[in-house]
Amino acid sequence: MEPSPLPRRRDFLQTTGLGLMGWPLLSSVLGTAESVLAQTAAPTTKAGAGAAAAPLPALNRFPRMLQDWLVAEVRAAEARGNARREALKTKADAEAYVKSAQERIRECFGPLPEKTPLNAQVTKTLERDGYRIENVVFESRPGYKVTGNLYLPTKGKGKVPGVIGVCGHSLNGKAAEAYQSFAQGLARQGQACFLVDPVGQGERFQYLNEKLGSRLGGGTSEHNQMGVPQALVGEFLGTWFVWDAMRALDYLITRPEIDTKHLGITGNSGGGTQTTWLCGMEPRFTMAAPSCFVTTFRRDAENELPQDMEQCPPRVLAQDLDHCDFLAAMAPKPVIILAQEKDFFDNRGSTESYERLKKLYTLLGRPENIQLHIGPDPHGYTQSNREAMYQFFGKATGIPAVAAEPALTIEKDEELLCTPKGQVAEEGSRTLMTFTKERAEALAARRKPLTGDALRKAVRQVLRLPAVADTAPDYRILRSAGQRKYPAKGYCTYAVETEPLIHALVTRLSDEALTSRLPRGQSKAVLYISHRSADAELRSDPFVQELIAASPDAAVFACDVRGMGDSQPDTCGANQFLGRYGSHYFYAAFSQMLDRPLPGQRAFDVLRVLQLLADAGHTEIHLAAQGWGALPAAFAAVLSPQVKQVTLKHALSSFHELAVHEDQQWPAAVMVPQVLQHFDLPECYAALKAQNLQLIEPWGAADGMK
């Protein structure tokens, strides 16, 4: 059973201002997905006279394994970053650190596109008391339209400071009350604010239905659907958000009303994310106020807090960067961190970031330019935080803010529309997905097929595989889990330590009860890599039964790689493994941030298990897998000399198909960053013909959640 998307709950969260993380938090409580353990339970069998036996739940003995590993990795990255920061002793050290942070951030966000004509148009003007609102459409890339409301003060003379406003995950984007409020509040106090719709929100839905709404629910749903496969072509959704805001700034400074000596950036939640990234990417900003985002990556990891793809920069943790470093890249310009006492973005991390930055700003001679404000409220850009921002920007620009926010008039959504029908798609705007498809096709056209050592080298490089140790891995011998109804008289499960804190769970079938080290003496072995649960699939999957029946003279092993079956995580809320922000997604996203893609980690597990089987005397190994397990199995088979035969059922046909199919249904856990810049799966399958590859019923882009 697939998890219910619960669009009504999602719409409720986005329209009530709970924003980015409200959806996964509420869905954790409500349980949007059936537990995979229940989903993979054995079918009910009859016992006695028509009595139904209770389903046998799949084994899940290591549910915290991936979480413990992740926390250790993120803590190590934080420790490396802290060591860099603690080594700063002089102003020259601090200046060098700022430059280093800027360079490392650029490495994560990748090259930016060239600037092209904005083709900006003002489509409507609203005259209000003391300010006016201009509804603006511009192109941040050719044919890719962005909508925004420019709030301009009309009292006083001369040029005024300009602020880019970036929105959190409101379904109606720039029309959300909290975002109208800060933009209007700035304008009423003498500062212009250009408030723009993020992609997938407001007037920029990418997946339109017949009623011009989002067929995915908008916001977070659209972000991940379009953002997840971007990794395959070497793109990052956060870069697209950043670029839209940078082009909004390009438009803002063309306006004669704007004083370009004072340019600010602010936003809340997802907008706080954009503000933070922009501090590191856009040097023209002179002041910043990120709200309800800045904490530390460690706090997010330890608190099991999933976030959108645009909030998870690739390689950021491998670069020893943290939230504070994006603000450090702007030092010593004025920055205020806005947090909330009751926020799920842990304000302990906000305080830790502030303390780190305080040292840096002090070394740079401007300690007063970094501030922290923690409001009394839950997550949101509430009045307390808006007033702190007004005061801070007022001091930075020399335009004193009033003590309390002026009375505001919230506009109806329709008044703020920049397009006739309320969607840029109706005005011919390209969708983000067409750019991904275009890039995938361009890469395919110029990519030369790889074979032999060149292919193996590329696979190792793209998967970020560590070197395999010379000796076989150690393992634990697990006590019996009782009668599991496997197609054998006995079995033994081994927890194979593929790397520190990580175990692949490998079950060996036997003709006798077995609780001892791996038996020796058989040259032939079948190693099956599960789709979801080796335990459940050993009991009831026809493909597995056929493999066993066809190999009467081979030892049979079934394996769950990390995070699957016996080590399926129970984190990120109750029964959230398959949720859009569930644990499967959570570890895939963090793995990209660590520059250790999850498919590579799982392929490494298979390689280590193959090494163990070879050490036990198995010289003829038949590697078989299906579904999600076919991907790490294919990669391992390309690299392993131990594998003599390969059988893959329901293997992904190609990464290219995922990149060009806007409705692809494969999870983030199978995405390999930048893979299509180097090779695609058909090249791996071609190489495996030498190992007697059988491909059975490959799966396409729409099949990944079966």
Side-chain angles (χ1 to χ4, degrees), residues 523-542:
S523 61
K524 294 184 178 180
V526 175
L527 174 60
Y528 170 71
I529 310 301
S530 72
H531 169 48
R532 293 278 296 282
S533 165
D535 172 55
E537 290 158 32
L538 276 173
R539 286 197 303 276
S540 59
D541 191 280

Side-chain angles (χ1 to χ4, degrees), residues 408-656:
L408 304 174
T409 302
I410 302 303
E411 304 286 347
K412 294 180 179 179
D413 288 19
E414 310 85 71
E415 293 288 349
L416 300 175
L417 293 179
C418 306
T419 57
K421 296 183 179 180
Q423 287 298 326
V424 293
E426 289 295 292
E427 300 302 303
S429 178
R430 291 186 64 179
T431 64
L432 185 147
M433 300 84 74
T434 64
F435 288 90
T436 304
K437 179 180 180 180
E438 183 177 85
R439 178 159 172 76
E441 291 173 341
L443 290 172
R446 66 171 181 257
R447 193 172 58 239
K448 295 181 179 179
L450 298 179
T451 60
D453 288 341
L455 176 61
R456 286 187 285 271
K457 181 179 178 181
V459 169
R460 287 189 177 278
Q461 175 187 340
V462 171
L463 294 181
R464 301 295 191 264
L465 290 177
V468 177
D470 293 333
T471 57
D474 199 4
Y475 56 87
R476 307 177 194 175
I477 304 169
L478 302 187
R479 299 300 92 187
S480 172
Q483 174 54 251
R484 303 304 299 171
K485 302 181 182 179
Y486 297 153
K489 294 179 181 178
Y491 70 93
C492 186
T493 300
Y494 303 92
V496 181
E497 187 178 20
T498 59
E499 65 176 285
L501 299 179
I502 292 294
H503 294 83
L505 283 302
V506 181
T507 296
R508 186 189 192 279
L509 301 185
S510 175
D511 289 332
E512 59 184 342
L514 190 67
T515 311
S516 59
R517 71 177 183 175
L518 279 171
R520 306 180 70 87
Q522 278 183 285
S523 61
K524 294 184 178 180
V526 175
L527 174 60
Y528 170 71
I529 310 301
S530 72
H531 169 48
R532 293 278 296 282
S533 165
D535 172 55
E537 290 158 32
L538 276 173
R539 286 197 303 276
S540 59
D541 191 280
F543 173 61
V544 179
Q545 309 302 315
E546 292 167 8
L547 282 172
I548 296 170
S551 309
D553 57 345
V556 175
F557 299 84
C559 173
D560 287 327
V561 293
R562 69 186 73 191
M564 301 305 298
D566 223 341
S567 63
Q568 178 189 299
D570 63 359
T571 53
C572 304
N575 300 331
Q576 285 296 296
F577 181 69
L578 292 181
R580 189 175 292 276
Y581 289 93
S583 52
H584 207 204
Y585 166 78
F586 177 66
Y587 297 109
F590 257 105
S591 293
Q592 291 187 21
M593 295 161 69
L594 288 163
D595 200 23
R596 286 205 59 193
L598 192 52
Q601 295 178 44
R602 289 172 167 168
F604 187 73
D605 290 343
V606 178
L607 287 169
R608 292 289 273 161
V609 172
L610 288 168
Q611 186 182 25
L612 179 64
L613 299 191
D615 186 68
H618 297 294
T619 57
E620 300 177 52
I621 300 177
H622 177 187
L623 181 59
Q626 67 174 324
W628 293 348
L631 188 62
F635 288 141
V638 168
L639 299 172
S640 174
Q642 287 99 6
V643 177
K644 308 304 180 185
Q645 183 178 351
V646 183
T647 303
L648 304 176
K649 183 176 181 180
H650 297 156
L652 173 62
S653 57
S654 73
F655 286 122
H656 178 85

Side-chain angles (χ1 to χ4, degrees), residues 173-186:
K174 64 189 180 306
E177 181 173 342
Y179 307 140
Q180 284 194 53
S181 295
F182 77 69
Q184 186 184 140
L186 282 166

Side-chain angles (χ1 to χ4, degrees), residues 210-228:
E210 65 281 359
K211 296 181 179 179
L212 302 187
S214 170
R215 57 186 169 87
L216 301 183
T220 57
S221 300
E222 290 210 359
H223 293 171
N224 273 16
Q225 182 62 36
M226 71 180 87
V228 163

